[in-house]
Amino acid sequence: MEGWHWYRPGISREEKILVFKLDLSILLFGCLSTFSKTLDNQALTNAYVTGMEKDIGLTGNDLNYLTAVYYSSYLSFMIPASFMLTRLPISRILPTMEILWGVSTFGCAWVHNLNQLYVCRFFLGATETVSFTGVIYVIGSWYKRDELGTRMALFQISAPLGSMISGYLQTAAYNHLNGRYGIQGWRWLFIICFCITIPCAIIGFVCFPNQPNNTKPSWWLKQSEIELARKRLEEEGIMKLEKKINWRALTRVLKNWPWYCFVFAWCLYDQNQFWGTTPFSLYLKASPKHYSVSQINNYPTVGKAIAIVLTVIGSYYSDKTGDRFGPTLLGAMLVASGSIVLVVWNVPEGARFYAFFIDGAETAMSTFLMSWASDVVKHDSEARSIITASMNCIGQVFLAWVPIFTFNVAKAPRFTVGFIFSMVTGLLHVVLACLIQLLDVRRKRKEKQRIVLIGTGHDNHTGVIEFASSTEEKH
């Protein structure tokens, strides 16, 4: 395991046992939670193209409006959810929300009109709002820098895996359960998703931990192991997160470039990873080649498989070398190439399939960006919490409404406006990755200079406030 860089070379047996327990307790629930949520979310598109559209009378751009309702609810509850996470145990909040998510998914199986589906989507958005940032923060709170990328990768690949499985489940439900007990195949998909979600919540109640500074000894983690975890973080130079994030912390973060660059990068990520999902399914459904129901559900899973492979390889490479830039740049260039093909459009069908498939590389970008952002502000837990939450929140703000105009459902199979928009944002992502690399190199150089100045007692505060020195600033 050390050879594959899962455990850092040379660590003690006690530390290996601790990391192993953390992997089981944090990653098991985190991965299953993300898997089930992506499975349920993708189920809407799979259900739409396999009968739901006609059964409940969806027309025009209703599919995009349903997505907008979901994200509007998600964002509306973001602040109350953050309030809960700072005052209530994460180990109880996340599993509870998982159960409510499952109940809302189950409700989608019994809707008979658009308004009922709107209600279910609203509650789905409300119950997911704490999940992603909560799990990301817990992962970043327990692991050291050179352990972070591989764990983040394992967590992130559960999302494309959920999308893949959703396609296969819908195919199986349509072929084997359609009409069973008088229930249409697309309704069975939501029922199956509910049955998968509830056990995930139970696992969370059993083993998911709080943050290191407020975790109590249990049957799973002993007091000595909790103390070892805290010592590991002290060695890494990671600050303890304050109970409340104050205005001083917020203004400190907003004075530096990482917030702006990584939030903008995440906005581009959210937009660029969209066109390989629902638009691809709509392309297949509206294509004059008349693809079968199985093909419509299964072909989009290829992009998810690409995402999983690139995520694992890229994260392993970046953890081994410390290079976050290389995998990010490669993924951005691949996605940009696919969007250019779709803008040209008059190409062989295989080239179009390549373009839709390669968008899976954008899904891998979430791991690279989150790991890179965590690296840049690794000494400041407040900054990490603010930046990662802002990335997720602001990115979703644009994802809630932009696709309504760029990928109008009625324009399928050719989304001219959406493809041009994707090409522009894809190329911007390439440029932004290069800019972040330049700024990160400069940050590391200044950080080394500052360490030398502190060591010699000649710290004259150069005027650039680095996150590495934020501990001193607070005192």
Side-chain angles (χ1 to χ4, degrees), residues 9-29:
I11 66 173
S12 66
R13 180 176 180 273
E14 290 76 15
E15 190 170 352
K16 280 187 179 180
I17 293 174
L18 170 64
V19 174
F20 175 73
K21 287 187 174 183
L22 293 177
D23 291 340
L24 285 183
S25 58
I26 297 174
L27 296 182
L28 181 61
F29 171 75

Side-chain angles (χ1 to χ4, degrees), residues 33 56 75 126 177 187-188 209-210 215 243 247 249 294 362 366 451 475:
S33 175
I56 67 174
L75 296 166
L177 294 175
R187 296 184 188 273
W188 276 111
N210 288 309
T215 292
K243 186 68 175 176
W247 285 107
S294 296
E362 188 69 30
S366 61
I451 290 173
H475 294 286

Side-chain angles (χ1 to χ4, degrees), residues 65 67 78-79 87 109 144 214 253 258-260 396 400 426 469:
Y65 294 141
T67 301
M78 181 71 71
I79 293 177
R87 287 158 177 80
K144 301 187 78 169
N214 63 1
V253 172
W259 188 91
Y260 299 95
Q396 304 289 1
S469 62

Side-chain angles (χ1 to χ4, degrees), residues 61-226:
N61 220 16
D62 285 342
L63 182 60
N64 280 337
Y65 294 141
L66 286 165
T67 301
V69 167
Y70 170 84
Y71 283 116
S72 297
S73 171
Y74 181 95
L75 296 166
S76 298
F77 286 92
M78 181 71 71
I79 293 177
S82 300
F83 181 87
M84 282 195 304
L85 288 179
T86 59
R87 287 158 177 80
L88 298 174
I90 294 178
S91 61
R92 293 292 173 262
I93 291 295
L94 296 188
T96 300
M97 289 299 185
E98 188 79 11
I99 290 178
L100 296 176
W101 169 277
V103 172
S104 301
T105 301
F106 189 68
C108 293
W110 309 107
V111 299
H112 294 285
N113 56 58
L114 179 60
N115 289 334
Q116 292 174 355
L117 191 55
Y118 276 139
V119 172
C120 291
R121 295 292 291 174
F122 176 85
F123 283 109
L124 283 169
T127 53
E128 192 194 355
T129 190
V130 298
S131 179
F132 182 77
T133 52
V135 174
I136 286 287
Y137 178 72
V138 171
I139 291 175
S141 298
W142 286 92
Y143 290 105
K144 301 187 78 169
R145 188 206 65 79
D146 54 359
E147 300 167 341
L148 188 62
T150 49
R151 272 74 182 180
M152 199 77 78
L154 188 59
F155 169 64
Q156 295 285 14
I157 64 174
S158 54
L161 186 61
S163 294
M164 287 180 64
I165 299 300
S166 180
Y168 301 142
L169 277 179
Q170 182 58 77
T171 299
Y174 185 86
N175 291 337
H176 302 292
L177 294 175
N178 190 30
R180 183 73 61 90
Y181 305 116
I183 301 174
Q184 296 100 321
W186 64 268
R187 296 184 188 273
W188 276 111
L189 178 60
F190 290 112
I191 295 172
I192 295 170
C193 290
F194 166 76
C195 294
I196 293 174
T197 301
I198 298 304
C200 296
I202 295 173
I203 292 173
F205 280 118
V206 171
C207 66
F208 195 70
N210 288 309
Q211 301 137 285
N213 61 314
N214 63 1
T215 292
K216 297 179 180 179
S218 65
W219 68 275
W220 184 246
L221 283 177
K222 302 175 184 177
Q223 181 63 40
S224 59
E225 292 171 331
I226 296 173

Side-chain angles (χ1 to χ4, degrees), residues 169-458:
L169 277 179
Q170 182 58 77
T171 299
Y174 185 86
N175 291 337
H176 302 292
L177 294 175
N178 190 30
R180 183 73 61 90
Y181 305 116
I183 301 174
Q184 296 100 321
W186 64 268
R187 296 184 188 273
W188 276 111
L189 178 60
F190 290 112
I191 295 172
I192 295 170
C193 290
F194 166 76
C195 294
I196 293 174
T197 301
I198 298 304
C200 296
I202 295 173
I203 292 173
F205 280 118
V206 171
C207 66
F208 195 70
N210 288 309
Q211 301 137 285
N213 61 314
N214 63 1
T215 292
K216 297 179 180 179
S218 65
W219 68 275
W220 184 246
L221 283 177
K222 302 175 184 177
Q223 181 63 40
S224 59
E225 292 171 331
I226 296 173
E227 293 297 330
L228 176 59
R230 293 170 181 167
K231 181 180 178 182
R232 279 161 38 92
L233 299 180
E234 290 175 3
E235 292 172 353
E236 193 82 346
I238 297 176
M239 293 163 38
K240 181 189 295 186
L241 182 67
E242 298 291 336
K243 186 68 175 176
K244 299 178 183 178
I245 294 178
N246 53 44
W247 285 107
R248 185 178 179 182
L250 181 60
T251 54
R252 184 181 73 248
V253 172
L254 293 179
K255 287 179 180 178
N256 290 272
W257 63 264
W259 188 91
Y260 299 95
C261 288
F262 284 110
V263 168
F264 185 34
W266 197 266
C267 290
L268 295 176
Y269 152 74
D270 271 332
Q271 296 302 319
N272 291 338
Q273 58 91 29
F274 178 76
W275 50 270
T277 54
T278 299
F280 187 20
S281 296
L282 295 175
Y283 165 80
L284 295 170
K285 186 174 185 292
S287 174
K289 292 185 178 295
H290 303 295
Y291 292 102
S292 67
V293 170
S294 296
Q295 290 172 322
I296 292 172
N297 283 297
N298 292 341
Y299 283 167
T301 66
V302 176
K304 305 307 177 184
I306 292 173
I308 292 172
V309 172
L310 289 179
T311 299
V312 172
I313 295 176
S315 297
Y316 174 77
Y317 164 81
S318 63
D319 267 7
K320 269 287 192 182
T321 63
D323 176 19
R324 309 293 187 191
F325 170 63
T328 304
L329 180 63
L330 175 62
M333 292 176 66
L334 289 173
V335 173
S337 71
S339 63
I340 291 172
V341 170
L342 292 176
V343 169
V344 176
W345 189 255
N346 294 318
V347 295
E349 185 76 348
R352 290 182 197 165
F353 270 62
Y354 159 81
F356 283 115
F357 289 159
I358 204 61
D359 189 50
E362 188 69 30
T363 304
M365 202 74 68
S366 61
T367 302
F368 307 148
L369 289 175
M370 279 293 179
S371 298
W372 202 354
S374 297
D375 271 359
V376 170
V377 293
K378 65 181 178 181
H379 298 287
D380 191 341
S381 294
E382 289 176 335
R384 188 174 71 247
S385 178
I386 293 170
I387 291 174
T388 54
S390 299
M391 289 165 67
N392 189 46
C393 179
I394 297 175
Q396 304 289 1
V397 166
F398 289 96
L399 189 59
W401 62 271
V402 172
I404 295 176
F405 303 99
T406 54
F407 289 96
N408 190 318
V409 175
K411 301 296 183 181
R414 184 177 183 180
F415 302 94
T416 304
V417 174
F419 295 150
I420 294 174
F421 176 79
S422 298
M423 180 181 69
V424 173
T425 54
L427 294 174
L428 275 176
H429 210 162
V430 173
V431 174
L432 184 58
C434 296
L435 175 62
I436 293 175
Q437 173 67 359
L438 289 174
L439 293 172
D440 194 24
V441 169
R442 190 185 70 169
R443 175 193 66 85
K444 292 176 180 176
R445 184 166 58 247
K446 288 181 176 292
E447 194 173 281
K448 290 180 180 179
Q449 293 172 352
R450 185 167 178 77
I451 290 173
V452 172
L453 290 172
I454 293 174
T456 57
H458 295 88

